[in-house]
Coordinates of all heavy atoms in Angstrom, one line a residue:
R273 N -121.0 -294.2 21.4 CA -122.2 -293.5 21.0 C -123.4 -294.0 21.7 O -123.8 -295.2 21.5 CB -122.3 -293.6 19.5 CG -121.1 -293.0 18.7 CD -121.4 -292.8 17.2 NE -120.3 -292.0 16.7 CZ -120.1 -290.7 16.7 NH1 -121.0 -289.9 17.2 NH2 -119.1 -290.2 16.1
T300 N -123.5 -261.9 32.4 CA -122.1 -261.4 32.4 C -122.0 -260.1 31.5 O -121.4 -259.2 31.9 CB -121.2 -262.5 31.8 OG1 -121.2 -263.6 32.7 CG2 -119.7 -262.0 31.7
T305 N -121.6 -255.3 38.2 CA -121.2 -255.7 39.5 C -119.7 -255.2 39.8 O -118.9 -255.1 38.9 CB -121.1 -257.3 39.5 OG1 -122.4 -257.8 39.2 CG2 -120.6 -257.9 40.8
L310 N -116.7 -259.7 40.6 CA -116.3 -260.3 39.3 C -115.1 -261.2 39.6 O -115.0 -262.3 39.0 CB -115.9 -259.2 38.3 CG -117.0 -258.3 37.8 CD1 -116.5 -257.3 36.9 CD2 -118.1 -259.2 37.1
T314 N -115.0 -265.1 38.9 CA -113.9 -265.7 38.0 C -113.3 -267.0 38.6 O -113.2 -268.0 38.0 CB -112.8 -264.7 37.7 OG1 -113.4 -263.6 37.1 CG2 -111.7 -265.3 36.9
E316 N -114.9 -268.9 40.8 CA -115.8 -270.0 40.9 C -116.0 -270.6 39.5 O -116.2 -271.8 39.4 CB -117.2 -269.3 41.3 CG -118.4 -270.3 41.5 CD -118.1 -271.3 42.6 OE1 -117.2 -271.1 43.4 OE2 -118.8 -272.3 42.7
R319 N -113.3 -272.9 39.0 CA -113.5 -274.1 39.6 C -114.5 -275.1 39.0 O -114.2 -276.3 38.9 CB -114.0 -273.8 41.1 CG -114.1 -275.1 42.0 CD -114.7 -274.7 43.3 NE -116.2 -274.3 43.1 CZ -117.2 -275.2 43.0 NH1 -116.9 -276.5 43.0 NH2 -118.4 -274.8 42.8
T321 N -115.2 -275.1 35.8 CA -114.6 -275.6 34.5 C -113.7 -276.8 34.8 O -113.6 -277.8 34.0 CB -113.7 -274.5 33.9 OG1 -114.6 -273.4 33.5 CG2 -113.1 -275.0 32.5
R345 N -127.4 -281.1 15.8 CA -126.0 -280.7 16.0 C -126.1 -280.0 17.4 O -126.4 -278.9 17.5 CB -125.6 -279.7 15.0 CG -125.5 -280.3 13.6 CD -124.5 -281.3 13.4 NE -123.1 -281.0 13.8 CZ -122.3 -280.2 13.0 NH1 -122.7 -279.8 11.8 NH2 -121.1 -279.9 13.4
P356 N -123.2 -272.4 24.5 CA -123.5 -271.1 25.2 C -123.6 -270.0 24.2 O -123.9 -268.8 24.6 CB -122.4 -271.0 26.1 CG -121.3 -271.8 25.5 CD -122.0 -273.0 24.8
G382 N -124.5 -255.5 18.3 CA -123.6 -254.8 17.5 C -123.9 -253.3 17.9 O -123.4 -252.9 18.9
H388 N -125.7 -257.7 15.9 CA -124.4 -257.5 15.2 C -124.7 -258.1 13.8 O -125.3 -259.2 13.6 CB -123.3 -258.3 15.9 CG -121.9 -258.0 15.4 ND1 -121.5 -258.4 14.1 CD2 -120.9 -257.3 15.8 CE1 -120.3 -258.1 13.9 NE2 -119.9 -257.4 14.9
T409 N -129.6 -282.1 -1.2 CA -128.3 -281.8 -1.7 C -127.4 -281.1 -0.7 O -127.2 -279.9 -0.7 CB -128.4 -280.9 -3.0 OG1 -129.2 -279.7 -2.7 CG2 -129.0 -281.6 -4.2
T413 N -120.9 -273.7 1.8 CA -121.0 -272.3 1.4 C -119.8 -271.9 0.5 O -118.7 -272.2 0.9 CB -121.1 -271.3 2.5 OG1 -122.1 -271.8 3.5 CG2 -121.5 -269.9 2.1
L416 N -121.6 -265.8 0.0 CA -122.9 -265.3 0.7 C -122.9 -263.8 0.6 O -122.0 -263.1 1.1 CB -122.7 -265.7 2.2 CG -124.0 -265.5 3.0 CD1 -125.2 -266.4 2.5 CD2 -123.7 -265.9 4.4
L430 N -137.5 -263.6 16.2 CA -137.1 -263.4 14.8 C -137.6 -264.7 14.0 O -137.7 -265.8 14.5 CB -135.6 -263.3 14.6 CG -135.0 -262.1 15.3 CD1 -133.5 -262.1 15.1 CD2 -135.5 -260.8 14.8
H433 N -135.8 -267.4 7.1 CA -136.4 -268.3 6.1 C -135.3 -268.5 5.0 O -134.6 -267.6 4.7 CB -137.6 -267.8 5.5 CG -138.3 -268.7 4.5 ND1 -138.0 -268.6 3.1 CD2 -139.1 -269.8 4.7 CE1 -138.7 -269.6 2.5 NE2 -139.4 -270.3 3.5
D455 N -144.0 -259.6 12.5 CA -144.4 -258.9 11.2 C -143.5 -259.5 10.1 O -142.6 -258.7 9.6 CB -144.1 -257.4 11.4 CG -144.7 -256.6 10.2 OD1 -145.3 -257.2 9.3 OD2 -144.5 -255.3 10.2
L460 N -136.0 -257.6 7.1 CA -134.9 -256.8 7.7 C -133.6 -257.1 7.1 O -132.8 -256.1 6.8 CB -134.9 -257.2 9.2 CG -136.1 -257.1 10.0 CD1 -135.9 -257.5 11.4 CD2 -136.6 -255.6 10.0

Side-chain angles (χ1 to χ4, degrees):
R273 298 194 174 274
T300 299
T305 300
L310 295 176
T314 299
E316 182 66 13
R319 184 186 66 81
T321 300
R345 300 295 305 280
H388 192 290
T409 51
T413 315
L416 189 65
L430 301 175
H433 185 267
D455 191 4
L460 306 175

